[in-house]
Amino acid sequence: MYLAQPGASILAIDATTGDEIWNYRRNISSEAAEFVGRAETARTKNIGIYDDMVFYPAPDGYLVALDVRDGRVRWETEVFAPETNTQHTGGVLVDDGKVLTNRSCKQRIGCFISAHDAQTGEEIWSYDPLVPKSWGRKACCDVVNRGVAVWKGSVFFASLDGRLIKLDAKTGKLIWEINTLLDRDKDY
Protein backbone atom coordinates (compact mmCIF):
# COMPACT_ATOMS: atom_id res chain seq x y z
CA MET A 1 0.00 0.00 0.00
CA TYR A 2 1.33 3.45 -0.94
CA LEU A 3 0.32 6.65 0.83
CA ALA A 4 1.02 10.31 0.13
CA GLN A 5 1.87 11.96 3.43
CA PRO A 6 2.21 15.56 4.59
CA GLY A 7 5.81 16.68 4.54
CA ALA A 8 6.53 15.83 0.89
CA SER A 9 6.82 12.09 1.42
CA ILE A 10 5.45 8.81 0.14
CA LEU A 11 5.10 5.83 2.48
CA ALA A 12 4.97 2.18 1.41
CA ILE A 13 3.50 -0.23 3.94
CA ASP A 14 2.67 -3.92 4.03
CA ALA A 15 -1.15 -3.89 3.85
CA THR A 16 -1.34 -7.14 5.85
CA THR A 17 0.88 -6.22 8.78
CA GLY A 18 1.07 -2.42 8.63
CA ASP A 19 4.87 -2.60 8.65
CA GLU A 20 6.75 0.13 6.83
CA ILE A 21 8.53 -1.09 3.69
CA TRP A 22 10.06 2.24 2.63
CA ASN A 23 9.57 5.97 3.04
CA TYR A 24 10.56 8.47 0.35
CA ARG A 25 11.06 12.05 1.56
CA ARG A 26 11.43 14.81 -1.00
CA ASN A 27 14.21 17.27 -0.30
CA ILE A 28 12.83 20.69 -1.25
CA SER A 29 15.61 23.21 -1.81
CA SER A 30 15.56 26.49 0.10
CA GLU A 31 15.16 28.33 -3.23
CA ALA A 32 12.04 26.29 -4.11
CA ALA A 33 10.69 26.54 -0.55
CA GLU A 34 10.58 30.32 -0.96
CA PHE A 35 7.76 29.79 -3.49
CA VAL A 36 6.17 26.44 -2.56
CA GLY A 37 6.71 26.34 1.20
CA ARG A 38 8.76 24.07 3.43
CA ALA A 39 8.68 20.31 2.91
CA GLU A 40 7.08 19.89 6.36
CA THR A 41 3.96 21.75 5.21
CA ALA A 42 3.78 20.41 1.64
CA ARG A 43 0.72 18.43 0.64
CA THR A 44 -0.09 16.06 -2.18
CA LYS A 45 -3.58 15.30 -3.49
CA ASN A 46 -2.78 11.77 -4.62
CA ILE A 47 -0.30 9.52 -6.38
CA GLY A 48 -0.54 7.17 -9.34
CA ILE A 49 0.60 3.58 -9.73
CA TYR A 50 1.44 1.90 -13.03
CA ASP A 51 3.50 -1.23 -13.72
CA ASP A 52 6.23 -1.19 -11.06
CA MET A 53 6.26 2.55 -10.37
CA VAL A 54 4.56 5.03 -8.05
CA PHE A 55 4.14 8.51 -9.59
CA TYR A 56 4.42 11.46 -7.25
CA PRO A 57 3.63 15.08 -8.24
CA ALA A 58 6.12 16.76 -5.90
CA PRO A 59 5.39 20.27 -4.58
CA ASP A 60 8.67 21.63 -5.97
CA GLY A 61 7.49 21.20 -9.57
CA TYR A 62 8.78 17.73 -10.34
CA LEU A 63 7.00 14.58 -11.38
CA VAL A 64 8.85 11.70 -9.69
CA ALA A 65 8.68 7.98 -10.50
CA LEU A 66 9.54 5.71 -7.56
CA ASP A 67 10.22 1.98 -7.68
CA VAL A 68 7.36 0.18 -5.90
CA ARG A 69 9.74 -2.33 -4.29
CA ASP A 70 12.29 -0.05 -2.63
CA GLY A 71 11.24 3.58 -3.17
CA ARG A 72 14.32 4.52 -5.17
CA VAL A 73 13.88 7.27 -7.77
CA ARG A 74 13.59 5.76 -11.24
CA TRP A 75 13.29 9.16 -12.92
CA GLU A 76 12.25 12.71 -12.14
CA THR A 77 11.18 15.42 -14.57
CA GLU A 78 10.75 19.12 -13.89
CA VAL A 79 7.19 19.97 -14.93
CA PHE A 80 7.22 23.61 -13.79
CA ALA A 81 9.60 26.02 -12.11
CA PRO A 82 8.69 26.84 -8.47
CA GLU A 83 9.05 30.60 -9.05
CA THR A 84 5.98 30.53 -11.32
CA ASN A 85 3.81 29.88 -8.20
CA THR A 86 2.28 26.94 -10.06
CA GLN A 87 0.95 23.99 -8.06
CA HIS A 88 -0.07 20.41 -8.77
CA THR A 89 -3.76 20.74 -7.89
CA GLY A 90 -5.28 17.50 -9.04
CA GLY A 91 -4.26 13.94 -8.84
CA VAL A 92 -2.20 11.75 -11.09
CA LEU A 93 -3.92 9.54 -13.64
CA VAL A 94 -2.00 6.92 -15.61
CA ASP A 95 -3.45 5.60 -18.85
CA ASP A 96 -1.90 3.67 -21.71
CA GLY A 97 1.65 4.37 -20.56
CA LYS A 98 1.06 8.10 -20.07
CA VAL A 99 1.17 9.91 -16.70
CA LEU A 100 -1.42 12.70 -16.78
CA THR A 101 -1.12 15.63 -14.35
CA ASN A 102 -2.76 19.02 -14.01
CA ARG A 103 -2.01 22.21 -12.13
CA SER A 104 -3.08 25.72 -11.16
CA CYS A 105 -1.17 28.93 -11.69
CA LYS A 106 -1.08 32.52 -10.52
CA GLN A 107 0.92 34.11 -13.35
CA ARG A 108 -0.71 32.54 -16.46
CA ILE A 109 2.38 30.34 -16.63
CA GLY A 110 1.96 26.66 -15.93
CA CYS A 111 -1.85 26.38 -16.18
CA PHE A 112 -1.69 23.24 -18.24
CA ILE A 113 -2.41 19.54 -18.34
CA SER A 114 0.46 17.34 -19.43
CA ALA A 115 1.20 13.76 -20.38
CA HIS A 116 4.58 12.17 -19.64
CA ASP A 117 5.91 8.81 -20.74
CA ALA A 118 5.54 6.47 -17.75
CA GLN A 119 8.84 4.68 -18.44
CA THR A 120 11.10 7.70 -19.09
CA GLY A 121 9.36 10.82 -17.74
CA GLU A 122 9.70 12.54 -21.11
CA GLU A 123 6.87 14.98 -21.84
CA ILE A 124 4.63 13.67 -24.63
CA TRP A 125 2.30 16.67 -24.79
CA SER A 126 0.89 19.55 -22.79
CA TYR A 127 -2.29 21.55 -23.25
CA ASP A 128 -3.08 25.00 -21.86
CA PRO A 129 -6.81 25.85 -21.98
CA LEU A 130 -5.90 29.57 -21.96
CA VAL A 131 -8.31 30.56 -19.21
CA PRO A 132 -8.33 34.35 -18.88
CA LYS A 133 -6.54 35.48 -15.70
CA SER A 134 -9.65 37.47 -14.71
CA TRP A 135 -11.47 34.19 -14.02
CA GLY A 136 -9.10 33.51 -11.11
CA ARG A 137 -10.88 36.26 -9.14
CA LYS A 138 -14.22 34.47 -9.51
CA ALA A 139 -13.15 31.31 -7.73
CA CYS A 140 -11.38 30.09 -4.63
CA CYS A 141 -8.19 28.88 -6.15
CA ASP A 142 -6.99 31.10 -8.99
CA VAL A 143 -6.77 29.75 -12.54
CA VAL A 144 -6.97 26.02 -11.97
CA ASN A 145 -7.56 22.72 -13.71
CA ARG A 146 -8.90 20.34 -11.07
CA GLY A 147 -9.12 16.90 -12.52
CA VAL A 148 -8.68 14.72 -15.55
CA ALA A 149 -10.73 11.78 -16.81
CA VAL A 150 -9.83 9.34 -19.58
CA TRP A 151 -12.23 7.36 -21.74
CA LYS A 152 -11.74 5.51 -25.05
CA GLY A 153 -8.59 7.35 -26.13
CA SER A 154 -9.73 10.78 -24.98
CA VAL A 155 -8.86 13.05 -22.06
CA PHE A 156 -11.61 15.16 -20.50
CA PHE A 157 -11.29 18.04 -18.05
CA ALA A 158 -13.20 21.12 -16.96
CA SER A 159 -11.60 24.54 -17.04
CA LEU A 160 -12.26 27.29 -14.52
CA ASP A 161 -14.07 29.42 -17.09
CA GLY A 162 -16.81 26.80 -17.52
CA ARG A 163 -15.64 24.76 -20.46
CA LEU A 164 -15.66 20.98 -20.72
CA ILE A 165 -12.72 20.07 -22.95
CA LYS A 166 -11.97 16.86 -24.84
CA LEU A 167 -8.41 16.13 -26.02
CA ASP A 168 -6.89 13.27 -27.98
CA ALA A 169 -5.04 11.20 -25.35
CA LYS A 170 -2.17 10.34 -27.71
CA THR A 171 -1.42 13.84 -29.00
CA GLY A 172 -3.07 16.30 -26.58
CA LYS A 173 -4.81 17.97 -29.53
CA LEU A 174 -8.18 19.61 -28.95
CA ILE A 175 -11.12 17.56 -30.22
CA TRP A 176 -13.92 19.77 -28.87
CA GLU A 177 -14.92 22.09 -26.08
CA ILE A 178 -18.35 23.11 -24.86
CA ASN A 179 -19.57 25.86 -22.58
CA THR A 180 -21.21 24.53 -19.40
CA LEU A 181 -22.18 27.89 -17.87
CA LEU A 182 -25.64 29.37 -18.26
CA ASP A 183 -24.41 32.92 -17.71
CA ARG A 184 -20.70 33.58 -18.41
CA ASP A 185 -20.90 37.03 -16.78
CA LYS A 186 -22.09 35.71 -13.42
CA ASP A 187 -19.66 34.86 -10.59
CA TYR A 188 -19.95 31.20 -9.57
Side-chain angles (χ1 to χ4, degrees), residues 5-10 24-28 39-40 42-44 56 59:
Q5 301 187 113
S9 70
I10 304 298
Y24 170 81
R25 291 196 179 278
R26 184 82 181 156
N27 181 22
I28 297 178
E40 301 81 43
R43 60 190 172 108
T44 299
Y56 169 47

Side-chain angles (χ1 to χ4, degrees), residues 65-176:
L66 304 171
D67 190 288
V68 297
R69 293 172 292 274
D70 56 19
R72 71 182 159 81
V73 175
R74 298 270 290 272
W75 56 257
E76 61 180 48
T77 299
E78 186 176 37
V79 179
F80 59 83
E83 61 270 13
T84 63
N85 288 319
T86 301
Q87 296 178 7
H88 292 289
T89 51
V92 175
L93 182 63
V94 186
D95 179 65
D96 194 28
K98 288 181 279 310
V99 184
L100 302 167
T101 58
N102 58 323
R103 55 215 44 86
S104 69
C105 65
K106 294 185 187 259
Q107 301 177 9
R108 276 299 323 138
I109 300 169
C111 304
F112 58 91
I113 291 175
S114 62
H116 288 80
D117 183 283
Q119 298 302 318
T120 66
E122 181 180 341
E123 183 179 281
I124 299 169
W125 57 259
S126 70
Y127 180 85
D128 185 340
L130 300 175
V131 176
K133 180 69 176 156
S134 61
W135 276 86
R137 289 179 288 126
K138 298 181 179 189
C140 72
C141 311
D142 219 327
V143 178
V144 64
N145 303 307
R146 278 290 178 196
V148 178
V150 177
W151 185 66
K152 293 189 177 184
S154 297
V155 174
F156 299 85
F157 71 98
S159 62
L160 181 68
D161 60 350
R163 290 176 290 151
L164 178 61
I165 298 171
K166 179 181 180 181
L167 306 176
D168 181 280
K170 285 189 167 94
T171 66
K173 300 288 185 213
L174 178 68
I175 296 173
W176 55 251

